[in-house]
Structure formats: C-alpha cells, structure tokens
Amino acid sequence: MMVNVQGPWSPLLGRLSLGAIPDNPIIAGAFVFAAVLGAVILGYLTFGHKWGYLWREWLTTVDHKKIGVMYIIIGLVMLFRGFIDALMMRTQQVMACGPHSPGFLGAAHGYLLPYHFDQIYSAHGTIMILFAATPILVGLMNVVVPLQIGARDMAFPYLNALGLWLTAVGAALIMLSLFVGDFSHAGWVGLTPLTEIAYSPGVGVDYWMWAIQISSVGTTLGAANLIATIIKMRAPGMTWSRLPIFTWTALSTNIIALTSFPVLAVALGLLGADRYFGTHFFTAGLGGNLMLYSDLFWIWGHPEVYFVILPAFGMMSEIIPTFAEKPLFGYATMVAASFAIAGVSWSVWLHHFFTMGAGPQVNTFFSIATMVVGIPTGVKVFNWAFTVYRGRSRFDTPMLWAVGALFMLLLGGLTGMMLAMPPVNYSVHNSVFVVAHFHTMLMVVIYGIMGAVNFWFPKVFGFRLNEALGKRFFWFFTAGTIMVFIPMYTSGFMGMTRRLDYLSNPALLPFEIAEEIGIGFYVVSIYYFVRQLYVSIRDRATTRVGADAWGSARTLEWLTPSPVPFYNYAVTPRVHARDELVWRREQGLEGATVAHYEDIPMPKNTPVPLIIGAFALGLGFGLVWRIWWLTDVSLLAIIVTVIARSFVRDTDYMVKAGVVQETERRLRRNAPEGSREGEARGGIDMFRPHESNP
Amino acid sequence: MRFTILDVAVMLGIIVPTAIITTYFLLRYRKTNTNAAYDPHWSHSNLIELIVWAIPLLTVAMLGYESYKGTYAVNPYDPRMIKTKTASAANPGSAPLNVDVITTDWQWLFVYPKQHIAVANELVIPRGTPVVFHMTSATVVNDFFIPNLAGMIDVMPGMRTKQVLVADKIGQYRGYSANFSGAGFSWMGFKTHVVSSAHFTHWIQSIQKFPRHMDYAQFNKFARPTTNIDGKTPAFSHVHARLFDQVIKGVLDGKVYTTRMPPPGAA
C-alpha cells in the first residue's frame, strides 16, 4: 500500500544514504558556520558549567515568560536564517539578469542552480511566516498576555511548554534539511500538483510538510491555551471592557489560529496520503483535484495573514498611547475592528487565485470581501492618528517602530486595495508586485515586533535596550525596506514574474541593483541589532529600570517589578480601570506595597514536553526518510509518555509567603538607582545562573 | 489600466491626507513642543468615530462597485466581450481565431486547430482580430501572461481555461508563464508577434509546409521535460485534429511526463 519511491531504500536507514549530504560549496559553508557556532555554544555550556542551569531554568521550565523568551529566540534565529535566504535570492537575481549573465559553479545563470534557488525561496517563505513571525508573536503573547490580565501563568503551563517544543522541532527539521537531504522546491504554499510524488520524488516536500505539520500542532495547542487563559484567568476587576487592546488582539488572533490550523493539518494530511499511500486527492489525474488543495491551503493561509498582523496592531495600540501619554482613541471601535478583521478574514481566501478562471460572480464576491477588510483597518489607522492628537509624543525606539508600522500599513493598504480588484489583479497576480505588497504588510508585523521587543524587554529582563543603537537599527532597516520594495513594486508593474531564477529582460537590471543595495542596508541594520543586544547586556548595570520602565506606561503588566518574578504578582491585583496604572498613578497609589503576603501555588518544572519534542523530532525525521522503525518507536514513545504523564498528580508546589515577601523586597530595592547587590531570585535573569525553584 | 488609475487615485486621495495629518499630529504634539495643548484624558468623540468609519466604508463601497463592473467587463467567458473588443480594433467584424495552448515542462505549444499547425514557444497572431485561447497543461500549473496584451490566467492540467485578446498594434511582445512550475520555469517565456493579416496568412502557409508533423506520439516526445534555455521555436504541420482533448484525456487518466529530478539530496 505504500508508494514506491525511486532510488534505493533499506529497512535500517530508509532512503537515507551518504548521497543525501549535499555536495555544494554554499551548503558546506553554511555547515561550517553552524558547526563552529554549535561548538562555541556547547563549549560555553560545558566549560562554564551551565548545563544544570540551562536544564533547570530553561529546558524544563513551565514559566510562561521563559517559554515566551525561548519562542522569541527561536523566531529570531529563524528570522536570521530566512534573511540569509533573502540575501541569496537578491544576489542571484542581480547576477542572473540579462541574456549574458554569468553562470558560476555550473549554474546556467548567476551562481545558483535553478533547483537550489527554488529550495531557497521556498525555505524563505516557509521560515519567515511559520518559523519566524509566528513563534515571535506567540512568544510575545506568551510573555505579555498573562501579565496584562493579572494572571500567575497560562491556564495550562505544561501544554504551553509542549507547544514550544513542537515548534522547536519544526524549526529543527527545516535546519536539518539544509545539511541532510534537500527542501521543497514548490514554494511555501506547496503548489499542487508540483508537490505530488510524480513531480517531486525527493524528500524536500516531505521535510516541508512534516516541519509545518508538527509545529502547527504546537501552534494549535498554544492557541487553545491562550484563549482559555484570557477567558478564565483574568484578575478580579479585569472586565471585558477593561481588557488591554493587545490582549484583545491576542484573543482574536488565537480564535483564528484554533479554527484555521486544523484546516492546514487536513490539507497537508491529504497531501501526505497522496505521497505515502498513493491516493489521488490533489493529483491532476485519476480523480484528483489540484485546485482543492489551493482552496484548503488558503482557507488556512489567508486567516494566517491576519494571525500575524492582528497582534502587530495590538502592539501598536499599546506602544502609541504609552509614548503619546494619552489613552488610546476609540477603544471600543479598536476592539470591534479587530474582531471584524478576524471575522472577514474567513471569506477572502479565494483572492489568492483570482486567475484560476472562476466566473465573475465568484471573483466579484471575493474582491468585495477582501476590500471590506480595509474598513476596520482604515478605522484603526485613524484611531492611532487621533491617539497622538493632543498628546505629548516622545520618540523612543518603540515609538519609532510603531509609527513606522503605521506608514507601512498605509502603503500596504493602498497596494492591497489594488490587488483586491480582479481587473487589476489579472495583470499583477503572481508578479513581484504581489511579493512587494505582502512584504509591506509583513513589515507592519516586523516593525510591530521590533517595537514590542524594545518596549517589553525591560519588563522581562529588568534593564533597557540601548536607545542610540536601536535607533540606528531602525533607520538602516527602514532604508533597506524602501530600497528593496519600491523597486520591486515597479518591476512588478512592468510584468516581472515572481520566483524567477533567471531574468531574461535586461531592462530590470537597475531595479535588481537597487534591491541589492537595499539588502546591504538590511545587513548593516542587523549588525546594529546584534550590537544593540551586546551593548545593552554589557551595560545592564547602568540601565536598570523600576516597575514602570518608560515612566508613562498604562497597563497592568507595568505594576509588577522588572524583571517580573516567576510568580508574576505577589498578590493578585484588583483592577479598577482600563488603564490601571494611570488610574493608580492619579490616585497616588503607585508606590503602594502589599501588606499581607500569602502562599502561592505554582506549577513544577517538568522535562516531559522536552522528551515529547525529542520523540517528535524522531518521528518527523523517520517520516521524511521513510525509516519506519524510527517512526513506529517515536510514535509509541510519544503515546506512552503522554499516558504516563497523565498519572502524575504531584505537579504543583507552594511558594511560601515569606519567600514571596523577600523576593518582592529585593526586586523593589533593585530599582534604577539601586545597586546590583541582591539580584532578584526567580526573575528572568539569563545572564547569571541562580538556584532553581524549590 | 483604467481601474488601476481609478483605484490608485481614490486610495491616494485618502492615504496622502492621512499620512500628512498623522505626521502633523506627531510633530505638533511632540513632548518638547510646550506650546501644543495636552489633553491627557481625551479618547472619544462620536463625531470623529462616525467620520473614521464613514470614510473607509464609502471608499470600499465605491471601489467595490467599480470592481464589480470591471470584473464583468473583462470576463473571457462572456461572448459580448469579443464584440466589444473587436469594435475598438482596427479590423472590426473579423471572425475570431482559435488557438489551443498546451504547456509542458517547460515549453509552450500553440496549436492552430483550423490551420492544422503548431508552434512551440512562439505565438503569431494577426492584428485587429479577436484571438480566443483554450488552455490546458500536460503536467503542472502554469499561468498564461503577456503583460502588454493579456492578463494572467491559470493553465491547469486536466482542466480548460479561456482567454480572449485583440491586439491593436503590430509588434513583438514578451509572454511568460507567471506561475512557478519547476526548475525550467525561468526560461518558460514565449515571443508574441502581432502581424498584419497578409503577413499572417503567409506565415500560416509557410508553417503548413514544415516536414515535422504533430501527432500524439510526437507530442509525447515533445512533452518530455525540456528547459528551453536557447529559446528554440520548433514548428509542426499536420497537427492531430483533437490533440488538445487527447492531452486532457491523458492527464485525467493519470499520465505523467516524467520530470527527471536529482535523487534526494543532490541540490
């Protein structure tokens, strides 16, 4: 019943053989880089005696803040990987433009073979959407949402850690594909029937498919968890009408995730059945229907777009009022707009294949549905503008990013409205104009994320990121964005198709050169980002902050000490207003301390999610290479682990009131002017190991 | 094009003022400007709420109506479209020319069924005559696109799509596949020549004398994976009368023109 695949197969190693290791100088270079980096990290862990610390404080943790930080680290690493892919693509296109372009290293044009180039852009898309943007956003929601609603942790801390490790497994599979075997060449969307076994007999599509499948189980679990947390874990007084906007967008986002990721799982599951069992769901012949895949994929894929952009809107809605020192304009409409966007997101997916040849009735319906999304989005822009009106704006780094996101949204909105019109769409669909449009929209996400990272960093770690370097990062990044995407819009309008390995039209060369320069600006901006992190960590003693890191913060999370102790709130706060911190400031309650501490029940650390993750990696790897004994053992081990864990009753422990009191005292004393003595116990301090939780 | 200009104009009419107002607010109400009023509690106004909902709502209503009109106006399945197109062309009243388009990995085959000829990677059409394209793919999905003449339309295996165009000006145009279809995709362009009617008749006759015939066996050879790096344009006479339908039937029966791929791991 299994499909016969070409090439040798053995029971022990499946399709895996030495030939699977690519013989390519570019990949060899990447491997050396990864190996050296890995050796440095392993050496540091071993000789610095950090293994125990890493295990206790991070690998087995169920603390939502640490899980969030790990999500963000995974996302940033993958963001860097995805950027390197982009750099390679831009370089290929600038080299392979015009009929007499050079062919290095055996390539027909440029320096990359077509088959290799196709894998790079497929990896770029898959990584940026699913393994960079999604984990960073989930990470930020993980860190911020429980704090914003006055909760001690997520509703299901153990499930939260499991979601993290499944996401990590997906990312690991993608990184593995770089060195063992190859990656899908059929785009991040998995174009059928190109992904079918007849046209993609290698393991590339399998890597793509299983990496997404496993990580999206993690995302779905995370979504259920966040929804439960927001609905059930709010502090007393945190009514729906007082919920911070970021939490509102997190709720709408996760409703999208919980309802759309299962559709993706089904689409990929059917594709997997085609590839492994020889069914014909999406083949061109024998009863298959390839457009059914497009339908299913985009029923997930378009809501996913709003899954990534709604939290960015939430971040902007937190940052702009803080730095404008004024409440958000039109709170109720902001909430309504978020849910309107989430709702309409379900009825627009067909605009991804307007050119399929559907009748004008169908295309008109989806055209207008797509445009309708512009209404609540437009409202949001106006509301942010009126938030600034009669405020007192300061342009700290987070504010710069938030305002940058607003302008990106204006440009992306303009081009989005163009694409939503079928007559216009027919001439720019599948062109780099579309690529430039959705990159502009994803820039809203990236700008929001960078703003949010700068904004909430002091809350999590207790000190601020360097302002001067952060601003330099922002300006170089913005220069890169303009230089890359304005030429891309133009060449798209001139008819340049996307996913080209070779450009036969020499008229496009000037645009390609401009884009390559833009990529150079991005490289410089990344240097400043890394330098910002390095300098900030080095000088952390001088940039300590108090509970309210910005002096004008508005929402509940700025009430706890920075860094936030592992139990979040010593005593569950009572919420009195939408902008609780402003209310307390005005009532003169800012410095109020807790009179009476109580014991706090907290979840215990557990290695179980990490173990399940490790077996999931075995499962994914076995499936990709068709090593059946490995898949069977891994699957069985996962099931046994899950069952065994369900018998564990002793999952919580008590933090004694005295310990809470002592921790709070230390943390409060550790405010800006305070000396560094008495490092907070239990707060996130990844730069100095300390004893584990009792 | 008209719709693009309209859309951009309407959207710019909203976006430019918004950008200017936002920038003005940000600068005027900056912290260092002590002259500007500061109202730390103002966060609601029914009038402004009404306006901020009304502007995008009306814009979308208007653009939505235009989109509806435009989508119907360029629908290739509407027979009236040919009439409208021809009326504006140089050669009104001419009978439409049928061209069957078949894509393979990675070539274009243009079949002129009435004339019994086929040309690969080169399309020749007469000026001012409506051309009706019937399209299908022998392997994976491609996208028929001549930026200056015809919008994109998917070319799908086992399925048929349609496109209609009338070219007003004699000249050469670039055509592409716009939907990624595998390693040879970047070279999957085709030349489009718009010629005078006389020239076109002459060209048909010259191709009809070509020695190579396009029967189904020949098609099977032709459809083997070929990256058309040097822009080869082979021509065929005596085309099998129902080649287009035969190709679709083959695909529906599960026929695969094997794409040779490197074995797993060979990048």
Side-chain angles (χ1 to χ4, degrees), chain A residues 108-193:
Chain A
H109 293 272
Y111 73 110
L112 290 170
L113 291 167
Y115 191 63
H116 192 183
F117 178 82
D118 302 339
Q119 290 179 39
I120 289 172
Y121 82 72
S122 304
H124 172 76
T126 310
I127 286 172
M128 285 306 204
I129 297 276
L130 281 153
F131 297 97
T134 305
I136 296 177
L137 292 170
V138 172
L140 281 165
M141 289 190 276
N142 242 299
V143 171
V144 176
V145 166
L147 290 173
Q148 276 201 331
I149 60 174
R152 286 249 150 73
D153 205 320
M154 299 280 271
F156 312 108
Y158 157 69
L159 197 69
N160 199 21
L162 183 58
L164 168 76
W165 289 112
L166 290 177
T167 306
V169 166
L173 272 177
I174 289 202
M175 294 313 259
L176 259 176
S177 77
L178 189 58
F179 307 121
V180 186
D182 49 22
F183 196 68
S184 173
H185 64 129
W188 79 277
V189 300
L191 302 159
T192 47

Side-chain angles (χ1 to χ4, degrees), chain A residues 556-577:
Chain A
L556 192 62
E557 74 268 28
W558 303 100
L559 193 65
T560 62
S562 312
V564 184
F566 64 93
Y567 48 74
N568 288 1
Y569 292 91
V571 172
T572 301
R574 171 161 288 281
V575 180
H576 309 82

Side-chain angles (χ1 to χ4, degrees), chain A residues 38 60 138 144 185 233 256 303 311 351 359 499 520 534 572 580 626 630 676 678 687 694:
Chain A
T60 61
V138 172
V144 176
H185 64 129
M233 308 277 284
I256 294 177
H351 71 225
R499 297 163 178 158
Y534 168 75
T572 301
E580 175 68 10
R626 304 184 186 226
L630 182 58
R676 297 211 60 238
F687 311 108

Side-chain angles (χ1 to χ4, degrees), chain A residues 121 185-196 208 293 499, chain B residues 179-181:
Chain A
Y121 82 72
H185 64 129
W188 79 277
V189 300
L191 302 159
T192 47
L194 196 57
T195 44
E196 291 287 346
W208 168 82
Y293 174 83
R499 297 163 178 158
Chain B
N179 193 72
F180 180 75
S181 56

Side-chain angles (χ1 to χ4, degrees), chain A residues 207-448:
Chain A
Y207 262 122
W208 168 82
M209 191 169 74
W210 293 115
I212 296 178
Q213 191 71 287
I214 292 172
S215 72
S216 62
V217 172
T219 310
T220 314
L221 294 178
N225 205 347
L226 266 162
I227 292 172
T229 306
I230 295 170
I231 293 178
K232 300 298 286 186
M233 308 277 284
R234 283 170 292 137
M238 180 59 85
T239 59
W240 289 111
S241 65
R242 289 177 186 161
L243 208 58
I245 289 286
F246 181 72
T247 302
W248 269 119
T249 57
L251 181 63
S252 57
T253 293
N254 284 293
I255 291 172
I256 294 177
L258 188 64
T259 45
S260 71
F261 270 89
V263 184
L264 177 68
V266 168
L268 292 178
L270 296 180
L271 180 66
D274 278 10
R275 288 182 64 84
Y276 284 79
F277 303 128
T279 53
H280 290 279
F281 290 107
F282 308 130
T283 59
L286 300 173
N289 187 335
L290 51 115
M291 292 316 282
L292 181 62
Y293 174 83
S294 298
D295 245 319
L296 288 175
F297 184 87
W298 286 115
I299 286 175
W300 163 77
H302 201 88
E304 165 72 11
V305 174
Y306 299 105
F307 174 90
V308 295
I309 207 153
L310 280 170
F313 290 164
M315 292 161 192
M316 293 161 74
S317 304
E318 297 293 337
I319 293 170
I320 291 176
T322 301
F323 292 97
E325 301 187 9
K326 233 179 108 272
L328 184 73
F329 180 86
Y331 172 89
T333 47
M334 277 302 208
V335 175
S338 298
F339 278 79
I341 293 171
V344 180
S345 79
W346 277 96
S347 56
V348 302
W349 78 90
L350 199 129
H351 71 225
H352 291 272
F353 41 108
F354 268 156
T355 58
M356 176 182 63
Q361 302 87 348
V362 172
N363 282 359
T364 304
F365 175 85
F366 283 94
S367 162
I368 292 172
T370 304
M371 289 181 175
V372 167
V373 177
I375 300 172
T377 313
V379 169
K380 277 177 176 270
V381 174
F382 288 123
N383 281 2
W384 288 317
F386 281 104
T387 303
V388 182
Y389 177 69
R390 294 201 167 177
R392 280 196 308 214
S393 293
R394 283 177 294 148
F395 296 97
D396 297 45
T397 320
M399 183 65 160
L400 278 186
W401 286 108
V403 173
L406 201 157
F407 282 95
M408 288 292 146
L409 184 60
L410 286 177
L411 179 62
L414 165 70
T415 51
M417 277 302 212
M418 291 165 69
L419 287 170
M421 267 192 160
V424 182
N425 189 291
Y426 294 152
S427 64
V428 285
H429 186 89
N430 266 334
S431 75
V432 291
F433 184 88
V434 173
V435 178
H437 160 70
F438 70 69
H439 276 85
T440 315
M441 294 312 279
L442 286 170
M443 279 302 151
V444 180
V445 182
I446 298 289
Y447 275 65

